[in-house]
Amino acid sequence: MKKIYGNDYLLSTLESMIRRDRAAHTVLFYGEKGSGKKLLAKYYTKLLLCESPTDGHACGCCTACKNVESGIHPDVIYPEKSGKLGGYSVETAGSVASDAFIKPNNKSGRKVYIFTDCRNFDSRPQNKLLKLIEEPPDYAYFIFTAESKSVFLPTIISRCVCFGVSVCTEEQARQALAADGYSPQEIQSAVSCFHGNIGMCKNYLLDESLRRKVDLTKSLADSIIRRDEYAMNAAFHTAAKDRNDVIGIFSMLDKLIRDAVVLKKESSAQNIGCFGDGARALSEKLAVYQAVRIHRHIEKARRAIESNVSIPLVLAALCAEIIDTI
């Protein structure tokens, strides 16, 4: 069974719930992208369905565990996403509400629904699921993963057991990447950008488009340092076609701004962004109040993009606001 690095207390809590026969029917794993939320959701599913559990641990070897790992277990359902924003529709929520009352056919007598990456989760499908989550059949379990609890209605959150998922240490990330066969050079390049976030480190090594976004973020940081609005606009222009790419770049740039503020206060502080040298240069260039304003400009631009405002207009405005700030 795939090793899970870090989050030891969270893992022991899940195993304790199984060992005491107190498994939560509705669980939310939340944390930054790449931190292992879906891996933990899959592990909790194995704990629920394992045919030969030992002291609260899933065996990883039985048919149920293997089928969960392969994504082919008939009683593990990943509800379908739809629409441009890739959210869950009212129709999907209604389908889950109907299907949940069909009893499972497996040794554990349990059925699991996993809602992954709940980023654009409208209130209507959430309300559709609320009654089901309030009074689920004894055999039905629901798992959600999201970057933030804020995407859920308070009524949903109040009925979930919520677990914050943390990234690992850089050393644990190095161990995980080495176990997957990556070279020391590859490991160093990934960890220098994404630190203890194992998922993002792997994505960086596998996904050329992510590497381009990292390079673009570094170019943006250099443009801010040089106060070069034209270069900033040119860099953003390469990502202007894809809404999710732009939002991802906003997130990486915002982390650099955060690092700059922290480094201004403590020069030996740990970075979380993808460009340590750039963060140090920004810390020398920006006053704290300027960094805070840039963060607010980025947040405003992100909300505008998510609200379907024209991407080129948002990016042009953001570039002008950042230059005016410095």
Side-chain angles (χ1 to χ4, degrees), residues 257-283:
I257 300 300
R258 172 269 180 200
D259 284 348
V261 173
V262 173
L263 289 169
K264 206 168 190 67
K265 298 294 184 181
E266 177 53 64
S267 60
S268 61
Q270 175 67 49
N271 292 336
I272 64 171
C274 65
F275 187 21
D277 290 342
R280 279 185 286 275
L282 284 167
S283 72

Side-chain angles (χ1 to χ4, degrees), residues 193-235:
C193 289
F194 293 104
H195 312 286
N197 189 319
I198 297 173
M200 290 302 294
C201 284
K202 290 181 179 179
N203 288 346
Y204 177 79
L205 294 170
L206 295 171
D207 186 353
E208 184 180 350
S209 68
L210 178 57
R211 293 195 294 274
R212 287 198 299 268
K213 281 183 273 189
V214 168
D215 290 341
L216 192 152
T217 303
K218 292 179 179 180
S219 296
L220 290 169
D222 287 335
S223 300
I224 294 172
I225 293 164
R226 299 195 312 271
R227 205 172 183 274
D228 188 339
E229 184 175 354
Y230 176 81
M232 199 185 309
N233 266 299

Side-chain angles (χ1 to χ4, degrees), residues 70-131:
S70 301
I72 58 173
H73 196 293
D75 290 312
V76 178
I77 297 94
Y78 289 85
E80 184 179 0
K81 294 182 179 181
S82 59
K84 291 182 180 180
L85 298 177
Y88 294 104
S89 67
V90 174
E91 290 74 21
T92 295
S95 176
V96 168
S98 299
D99 186 75
F101 289 94
I102 300 174
K103 291 185 177 181
N105 182 24
N106 61 67
K107 291 183 179 179
S108 72
R110 289 167 171 164
K111 192 173 190 177
V112 183
Y113 296 86
I114 305 177
F115 295 79
T116 60
D117 297 325
C118 297
R119 186 177 299 105
N120 302 295
F121 207 170
D122 190 87
S123 61
R124 292 170 298 172
Q126 290 191 58
N127 280 319
K128 189 78 173 178
L129 290 170
L130 182 58
K131 182 65 175 177

Side-chain angles (χ1 to χ4, degrees), residues 153-210:
L153 298 172
T155 47
I156 294 287
I157 290 295
S158 68
R159 288 156 179 81
C160 291
V161 176
C162 300
F163 294 106
V165 181
S166 303
V167 297
C168 300
T169 64
E170 290 191 3
E171 180 55 33
Q172 288 172 326
R174 292 178 192 277
Q175 292 173 9
L177 294 171
D180 283 345
Y182 291 104
S183 70
Q185 293 78 15
E186 290 173 320
I187 292 171
Q188 177 56 32
S189 66
V191 172
S192 67
C193 289
F194 293 104
H195 312 286
N197 189 319
I198 297 173
M200 290 302 294
C201 284
K202 290 181 179 179
N203 288 346
Y204 177 79
L205 294 170
L206 295 171
D207 186 353
E208 184 180 350
S209 68
L210 178 57

